[in-house]
């Protein structure tokens, strides 16, 4: 078979698998939005079937043959051409998936179900000992997975690579270490400041309809396309894209707190803008029209949530609109109070509720814990103590129990090991991209203050979204910013804001 | 392969195909409820892929081999045992689908898309000549389909059988003819009555929220299980079951007319109760847990909509509740006025808006037209005139144009030929079942007046729903009622009501 014919057949097959997978994506969205409770068991069967059919087709002999037929041909010589990037990324996924014996995949799936059930119970009862055997089993299986996949340097690399292509433990550690001490110091300074954010202005009664109206207004203003998307309500906010022209985000409304829904909408809208900016019209299902990594995805959500949405200039434009929507509720609140309130910094136990500064320390703790557990430097029984020590050391607080400590997140019970670093990688990339966008576009704050968000969006579209998986995350960062991944832009941003608001 | 092993493998395969098909069902539901407009093209690709995968697997060599391996074995000797009924129905479907060349199926699909587009345009412009070539092509293809499938007596039988297993043109004609003259006579008598239904009481301003509240109350009262279902809003009401424990109905709200939403909810709830009563927990995807035909499905929807929902006794219970929900809106309305208003009879042009009496005449006209077109007794160009003559003859009115005449329904443009009779078969079965239920259970009206609908539902569950496709529709009717399908029960019901309300 000629390489060109093999490539065409490969893309045809990949596209069909992607369409099938997108049906599974809709099943997932529906499961969390509108599915009646009685359908849960059947939905499990549907999702499992779609996942199996996709896996079977993606790891088939046919795929292997087609990939082999194009390998080394002129067509794929340029790693960053359409064909070169597509084939490289497909080959990487094919190798990973075919290296895993189906017995291991099945055992992981089975363990994940039991482990999540047990985790939920253990968390409720606050009994780590219940969860411990499942955490041990999960980590054992992850070690087996890493051995099957293979790695050059650190066992962690084989797992991390699944979420962040080509990233390594060494690479993460290097950049995280330059972040850690500075953050710890900053948190300490802020805690010592006499200035306190007036968070009570956010804790008033905000009717759901008004919150929704205002959030939709903001999502539209930053460019979310409702013609090709929706906003619905779920227990946990998420963004899902069940097809070309179809990107759906969800949020939840707390009528006694403004911040929850609004910032989660900005966050999910950031993910959604990335999905809406991928070239799915022409290349649906091909890697060049798919997001490249969780870290880069998170860089988009965190940029709109924090760098844009918590900026003074954003509220210069939006606070008068908030006043118009919420009327008497915030009649007595000044813009200055509002901006300070949405930028409150204080150490807390739960990562998902953490502010912009302390958030990364939660992530660093997970990363250090995962490394220690995987390499068996830390035994499972010692996890709670080690966890609590780190919280004391980095955040100055000690979790009152393991439910609010090492059992707070679903990730470990779900087998998501090597996943946490992508949250902070996202924050790092977001600051680095944002700094470069400012250099390229001029005064972003002046634009935001006038409600002009399209220059930034178009810059992201051109430099990041439209690239899909053409480059590895690190390559993309370098190509866009001219710099290696680094902590400085994020630290600069956080320190500058702390100086302004807390005077530290 | 031993028959038992082959049977087990067959059921496993059939179940998996059904799960896959149920994913397609969800795609369809979402398309009409929440899908953003921009997703339309991708949704087409998703639905087409699922349909093709299901078709390929259902018509595969594997299916043929498994069916052959169980054929004639002791396992399937009893046509009405689980295995006997399943294999008979699967074989019937397999034969039908494998007899159709894929070139014909593809041409039909392509023609249907173009034909529906042209129909919509022709209807808008009121120009039958635009639609005529597509109607001709569609009928040509349906004739080819019938020839491939084969038939014993009449070409129509091959098409009708696809919607109403084992039904024939002769069978339909016989029972329809005993209905026609009596209905024409009844319509005439009612038109001549001095009594007129006070329809203005339904044409007041009914706020959407109140309509929904009341409709949900009624749906719950007749047994619709919201734990395994939902009610949403669409342009055209429908019922969809995308899985075990998952039956969803939709309606639309006209704030200036009470009847539209309420009776469509009762209608769709009737379909939904059938779906919720099939034994999907144990036998999902097997014919014995699937509805047997469109006619029997319609018998359930029409029973709850008309025989129950428009009865005096139903409103004995529900009218006080309506008064509580709608307050001042119907403060001045008496129960007597209300019951008369929801039973208004008057000839009209559009089938979907027709009352209980004239409805069947619309269907009879379609049936007679289809027979004449298929056998080429009637040429396409003469369709509008023939249509209008029949409306004059049976309903005493002449459509003002073809848009409200022979182009009013999507069916013909979509290739749904042989489908219309099932609407009236449904009405006939519903009356016959209802009469028998009354004989078995005692005074149904006394029960309804007290809000007791469960005895009827349980009777339907036991006698009809739980049977799935174990019997052909005619067999089921005979088994349940002890009688052949006949027009008398429906005529008796309609005449009795006309006598009460119109004094004719």
């Amino acid at each position: 078979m000629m390489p060109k014919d093999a490539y065409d057949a490969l893309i045809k097959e990949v596209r069909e698998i992607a369409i099938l997978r997108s049906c599974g994506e809709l099943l997932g969205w529906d499961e969390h939005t509108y599915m009646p409770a009685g359908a849960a068991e059947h939905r499990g069967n549907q999702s499992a079937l779609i996942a199996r059919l996709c896996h079977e087709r993606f790891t088939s002999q046919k795929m292997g043959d087609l990939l082999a037929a194009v390998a080394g041909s002129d067509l794929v010589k340029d790693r960053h051409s359409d064909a070169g990037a597509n084939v490289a990324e497909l080959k990487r996924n094919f190798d990973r998936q075919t290296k895993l014996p189906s017995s291991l995949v099945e055992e992981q799936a089975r363990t994940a179900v039991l482990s999540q059930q047990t985790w939920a119970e253990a968390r409720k009862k606050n009994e780590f000992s219940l969860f411990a055997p499942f955490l041990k089993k999960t980590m054992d299986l992850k070690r087996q997975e890493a051995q099957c996949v293979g790695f050059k340097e650190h066992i962690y690399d084989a797992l991390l690579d699944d979420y962040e292509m080509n990233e390594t433990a060494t690479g993460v550690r290097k950049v995280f270490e330059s972040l850690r001490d500075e953050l710890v110091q900053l948190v300490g300074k802020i805690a010592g400041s006499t200035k306190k954010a007036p968070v009570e202005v956010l804790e008033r009664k905000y009717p759901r309809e008004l919150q929704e109206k205002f959030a939709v207004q903001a999502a539209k203003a930053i460019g979310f396309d409702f013609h090709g998307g929706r906003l619905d309500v779920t227990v946990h906010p998420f963004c899902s894209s069940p097809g070309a022209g179809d990107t759906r985000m969800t949020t939840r409304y707390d009528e006694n707190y403004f911040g929850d829904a609004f910032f989660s909408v900005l966050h999910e809208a950031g993910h959604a803008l990335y999905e809406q900016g991928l070239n799915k019209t022409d290349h649906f299902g091909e890697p060049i029209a798919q997001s490249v990594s969780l870290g880069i995805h998170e860089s988009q959500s965190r940029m709109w949530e924090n760098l844009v949405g918590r900026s003074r200039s954003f509220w210069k434009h939006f606070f008068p609109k908030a006043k118009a929507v919420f009327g008497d509720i915030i009649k007595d609140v000044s813009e200055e109070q509002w901006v300070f309130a949405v930028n409150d910094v204080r150490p807390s136990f739960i990562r998902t509720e953490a502010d912009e500064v302390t958030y990364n320390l939660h992530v660093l703790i997970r990363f250090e814990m995962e490394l220690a557990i995987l390499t068996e430097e830390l035994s499972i029984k010692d996890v709670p103590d080690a966890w609590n020590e780190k919280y004391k050391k980095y955040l100055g607080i000690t979790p009152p129990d393991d439910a609010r400590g090492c059992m707070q997140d679903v990730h470990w019970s779900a087998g998501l090991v090597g996943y946490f670093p992508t949250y902070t990688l996202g924050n790092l990339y977001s600051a680095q991209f944002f700094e470069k966008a400012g250099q390229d576009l001029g005064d972003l704050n002046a634009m935001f203050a006038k409600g002009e968000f399209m220059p930034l969006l178009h810059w992201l579209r051109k430099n990041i979204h439209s690239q899909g998986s053409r480059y590895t995350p690190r390559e993309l960062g370098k190509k866009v910013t001219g710099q290696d991944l680094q902590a400085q832009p994020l630290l600069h941003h956080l320190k500058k804001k702390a100086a302004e608001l807390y005077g530290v």
Side-chain angles (χ1 to χ4, degrees), chain A:
Chain A
M1 199 183 237
M2 298 294 289
K4 181 69 178 76
D5 296 334
Y7 180 72
D8 290 344
L10 179 71
I11 293 303
K12 185 161 178 267
E13 181 68 8
V14 162
R15 200 176 282 226
E16 207 165 290
I17 297 169
I19 293 173
L20 195 55
R21 192 175 289 123
S22 72
C23 298
E25 189 79 18
L26 184 75
L27 292 170
W29 174 84
D30 180 75
E31 183 177 338
H32 292 101
T33 50
Y34 296 112
M35 186 187 82
E41 190 183 334
H42 187 83
R43 181 54 46 88
N45 293 334
Q46 290 173 309
S47 296
L49 176 63
I50 296 285
R52 179 164 66 72
L53 293 176
C54 288
H55 180 75
E56 280 173 7
R57 285 183 70 165
F58 192 79
T59 57
S60 68
Q61 182 69 44
K62 180 180 173 183
M63 279 289 289
D65 292 345
L66 291 172
L67 281 167
V70 291
S73 71
D74 280 355
L75 197 67
V76 301
K77 214 162 52 185
D78 175 4
R79 162 70 178 81
H80 298 129
S81 67
D82 284 6
N86 278 339
V87 170
E89 178 59 3
L90 290 169
K91 180 81 169 63
R92 197 180 75 91
N93 281 327
F94 178 82
D95 288 346
R96 183 174 186 102
Q97 290 194 34
T98 50
K99 277 177 184 169
L100 296 176
S102 58
S103 60
L104 176 61
V105 173
E106 274 168 34
E107 199 172 353
Q108 285 186 320
R110 209 167 31 241
T111 303
V113 172
L114 294 172
S115 180
Q116 282 177 78
Q117 281 170 357
T118 313
W119 163 75
E121 195 196 333
R123 186 182 176 214
K124 206 169 156 187
K125 293 184 178 165
N126 190 32
E127 274 188 51
F128 179 76
S129 61
L130 281 178
F131 178 49
F134 287 92
L135 182 56
K136 182 172 184 316
K137 172 92 184 209
T138 300
M139 292 294 180
D140 287 346
L141 292 170
K142 293 311 278 188
R143 268 183 227 103
Q144 286 179 44
E145 179 184 334
Q147 295 299 344
C148 292
V149 171
F151 51 89
K152 281 189 193 138
E153 208 180 289
H154 196 291
I155 188 168
Y156 197 77
D157 300 350
L159 304 176
L160 178 56
D161 179 73
D162 200 19
Y163 310 111
E164 195 71 17
M165 191 206 303
N166 278 23
E167 193 52 80
T168 63
T170 304
V172 169
R173 192 188 273 130
K174 196 175 149 208
V175 67
F176 277 27
E177 272 172 6
S178 60
L179 192 63
R180 193 180 55 200
D181 296 345
E182 296 248 35
L183 282 182
V184 170
Q185 215 182 332
L186 185 59
V187 169
K189 277 190 194 167
I190 290 172
S193 168
T194 53
K195 297 194 180 177
K196 300 293 170 205
V199 289
E200 63 278 7
V201 304
L202 306 177
E203 294 164 354
R204 298 177 179 180
K205 172 91 181 168
Y206 288 89
R208 191 205 128 140
E209 301 73 39
L210 299 186
Q211 287 198 50
E212 184 174 348
K213 186 181 170 190
F214 186 58
V216 165
Q217 196 179 339
K220 278 184 184 163
I222 66 171
F224 179 81
D225 171 18
F226 277 92
H227 177 73
R230 309 181 39 86
L231 172 64
D232 294 276
V233 177
T234 50
V235 177
H236 300 289
F238 66 88
C239 173
S240 166
S241 189
D246 197 353
T247 302
R248 309 180 184 197
M249 47 184 188
T250 73
T251 190
R252 63 179 167 213
Y253 297 95
D254 178 348
E255 291 216 312
N256 299 306
Y257 181 55
F258 169 83
D260 201 6
F262 186 77
F263 290 103
S264 83
V265 169
L266 286 189
H267 182 97
E268 301 310 333
H271 284 304
L273 290 172
Y274 187 10
E275 289 293 328
Q276 292 188 330
L278 293 162
N279 188 4
K280 296 179 191 179
T281 309
D282 299 325
H283 296 283
F284 183 81
E286 300 172 41
I288 56 166
Q290 287 173 331
S291 61
V292 62
S293 74
L294 293 183
I296 299 295
H297 229 307
E298 196 74 5
S299 78
Q300 302 305 294
S301 57
R302 297 291 278 183
M303 186 182 297
W304 291 102
E305 176 193 357
N306 291 330
L307 297 165
V308 179
R310 293 185 202 270
S311 70
R312 185 177 297 276
S313 52
F314 178 87
W315 289 107
K316 177 76 80 190
H317 175 72
F318 271 107
F319 193 61
K321 294 185 185 298
K323 286 224 167 190
V325 171
F326 296 114
D328 284 349
I329 303 164
I330 51 170
K331 205 172 143 192
D332 62 322
V333 181
S334 71
E335 191 182 304
E336 185 58 35
Q337 286 176 300
W338 189 264
V339 171
F340 200 176
V342 301
N343 282 292
D344 175 49
V345 174
R346 66 183 73 187
S348 62
F349 304 115
I350 308 297
R351 173 188 59 87
T352 55
E353 296 163 9
D355 60 76
E356 213 179 339
V357 179
T358 58
Y359 187 94
N360 296 298
L361 291 170
H362 291 266
V363 177
L364 303 198
I365 291 170
R366 280 357 127 77
F367 172 60
E368 293 180 1
M369 296 287 296
E370 286 186 351
L371 283 184
I373 298 171
L374 268 181
T375 54
E376 301 186 80
E377 286 163 46
L378 177 67
S379 69
I380 296 294
K381 70 169 172 30
D382 296 328
V383 163
D385 285 346
W387 177 285
N388 293 350
E389 274 164 35
K390 284 186 191 288
Y391 266 74
K392 183 75 200 160
K393 187 171 157 199
Y394 297 154
L395 284 157
I397 55 176
T398 305
D401 50 43
D402 295 336
R404 276 169 285 185
C406 65
M407 290 198 293
Q408 68 179 252
D409 275 320
V410 72
H411 299 59
W412 288 345
S413 67
L416 298 172
V417 179
Y419 185 111
F420 277 115
T422 66
Y423 289 122
T424 285
L425 290 171
N427 287 329
L428 294 167
Y429 280 121
S430 79
Q432 208 167 325
F433 289 146
F434 194 70
E435 191 177 271
K436 182 68 167 84
Q439 288 159 12
D440 288 357
L441 298 171
D443 191 349
L444 288 175
N445 284 318
M447 295 174 196
F448 297 167
K450 285 186 283 177
E452 292 170 7
F453 302 99
M454 288 312 98
L456 176 60
L457 179 60
H458 289 138
W459 187 91
L460 294 170
R461 288 265 192 267
K462 175 170 168 277
N463 289 289
I464 296 161
H465 305 175
S466 64
Q467 302 294 351
S469 298
R470 196 178 295 274
Y471 304 92
T472 70
R474 288 269 187 165
E475 284 171 355
L476 182 66
K478 183 79 181 268
K479 184 175 151 53
V480 173
T481 67
Q483 307 280 328
D484 286 326
L485 178 66
Q486 54 194 277
Q488 230 24 68
L490 180 62
L491 283 170
H492 176 72
H493 159 75
L494 295 174
K495 284 180 188 172
K496 186 159 167 279
K497 204 187 260 183
E500 279 173 31
L501 295 170
Y502 286 95
V504 295

